[in-house]
Amino acid sequence: MILAIETSCDDSAVALLDMDGKIITNQISSQTELHEKYGGIVPEIASRKHLTTLPLLLRHVFDQSGTGLKDLKAIAVTYAPGLIGSLLVGVSYAKSLAWMAGVPLIPVDHLEGHLLAPFLDHKELDFPYLGLIASGGHTHLIIAQGLGDYQLLGRTMDDAAGEAYDKVAKMLGFQYPGGPVIEKLASDCPKASIEFPIPLKGKKTFDFSFSGLKTAVRNEAIARDLYVEKQELISYETFSKKPESDAKVMTRDIAASFQKTVEKIVIQRFEQALKVYPQKKLVLTGGVAANRGLQKGLDKLASGKKISFYYPGMRHCTDNAAMIGYTALQHLKRGNVPQNDYLRLNASSRSPISQMTVSA
Ligand code: KG4
Ligand code: ZN
């Protein structure tokens, strides 16, 4: 069995997989309640919470599966990219466990974990594919030719897709994470009436940009007297219990119009990339892949082109340790285990995939 640990951001996650990649248990302890009122993640709070949560989560995983350190063949850990304090907690914990169990420690790039996450739910998926990793920290359009063989076509030049959702939600007065809130507001509003500008429109690029869109949303929110700066942030549930008002209608309209624009941006990039690099399989992955509007839009694009579209199951879109274990296992099977002294492994805020240069 392989034990996987993921603490790159605000979720503490531990999973156990058998050597065929079957998930035995996949536990996630979310810190959302600690961060939501700030409208984003507070790094110091995140790392402290990982420190207290990880041992409890591991105990739970072992108790639930009736296993222990003696059953492990390897330990996988996310070493990069992410919040350095959070990563350090996971890496240090994984190192000491690997040392105690006397098994190899396999460092995993969080972004590779996301890129391979759809394999957890789709056994028929195979390389090559055109994939978009859209998370709170990254927006990378990649051709995955094979394990470890990735070509970066484009990336965000400013905010990540998930970050844009989080910031727009915060402007409108909503707690972190913003993606699920915007999605719910948008689904309550059948007509999105605002035409926000499409960033990088007409440019021959596979890159993304969300900052101009974010400013356009901010201006719209200010113009309609909805922009929230210092007020206490609320949840979608609190918002939906408020009496109906023009402000509620306009808030939904802005959210739906933003959602529609993000859908257009993502679909356009896939279309452009497919023209130059025809592929038979599309993948959307990372936290933003949980968005049903994006899923539906890409599903339509794929079926129109008679190609396949995959996204991970809901639990495997956002951060989880199962994808880290799965990725480590693929490398382990091919003998890609670092030979150097793993006790020297360091956490890093950057990874090979996060730093790849665009080669389109
Ligand atoms: O992959 P992830 O869990 O963490 C990172 O690696 O960053 O992604 C978190 C991001 C957050 O920005 C969150 O707002 C976004 O994913 N997200 C969504 C949805 N669910 C989560 N964005 C759009 N629609 C959703 N349903
Ligand atoms: Zn992630």
Side-chain angles (χ1 to χ4, degrees), residues 179-194:
V181 178
I182 299 289
E183 180 172 2
K184 284 183 204 144
L185 291 168
S187 67
D188 292 345
C189 177
K191 190 170 118 311
S193 75
I194 310 158

Side-chain angles (χ1 to χ4, degrees), residues 24 27-28 43 75 79 101 128 226 234 260 271 316-317 320-321 335:
I24 294 164
Q27 298 297 324
I28 300 165
I75 293 177
Y79 79 99
L226 296 171
I234 61 167
K260 188 182 70 178
E271 274 179 328
H316 303 144
C317 285
N320 66 89

Side-chain angles (χ1 to χ4, degrees), residues 8-11 110 114 134-138 161-163 165-166 176-180 183 259 286-292 294 314 317-319:
S8 64
C9 197
D10 61 329
D11 293 313
H110 180 82
H114 275 308
S135 69
H138 296 86
E163 194 180 354
Y165 273 97
D166 296 334
Y176 175 86
E183 180 172 2
Q259 165 71 35
V288 179
N291 190 283
R292 282 184 202 84
L294 289 171
M314 192 69 173
C317 285
T318 44
D319 289 350

Side-chain angles (χ1 to χ4, degrees), residues 267-280:
I267 291 164
Q268 268 183 15
R269 282 297 172 277
F270 269 99
E271 274 179 328
Q272 283 169 308
L274 282 171
K275 275 187 198 148
V276 184
Y277 300 98
Q279 295 288 321
K280 294 216 160 48

Side-chain angles (χ1 to χ4, degrees), residues 138-197:
H138 296 86
T139 310
H140 274 41
L141 187 64
I142 288 176
I143 295 185
Q145 299 285 7
L147 183 72
D149 184 2
Y150 311 126
Q151 182 189 358
L152 181 67
L153 300 188
R155 65 195 308 164
T156 183
M157 295 160 68
D158 37 62
D159 292 343
E163 194 180 354
Y165 273 97
D166 296 334
K167 287 181 176 169
V168 163
K170 190 176 176 181
M171 281 174 204
L172 296 173
F174 292 96
Q175 294 172 341
Y176 175 86
V181 178
I182 299 289
E183 180 172 2
K184 284 183 204 144
L185 291 168
S187 67
D188 292 345
C189 177
K191 190 170 118 311
S193 75
I194 310 158
E195 285 297 327
F196 287 124

Side-chain angles (χ1 to χ4, degrees), residues 311-332:
Y311 52 91
M314 192 69 173
R315 207 174 158 76
H316 303 144
C317 285
T318 44
D319 289 350
N320 66 89
M323 67 184 192
I324 302 304
Y326 181 85
T327 302
L329 207 53
Q330 305 318 303
H331 285 292
L332 191 66

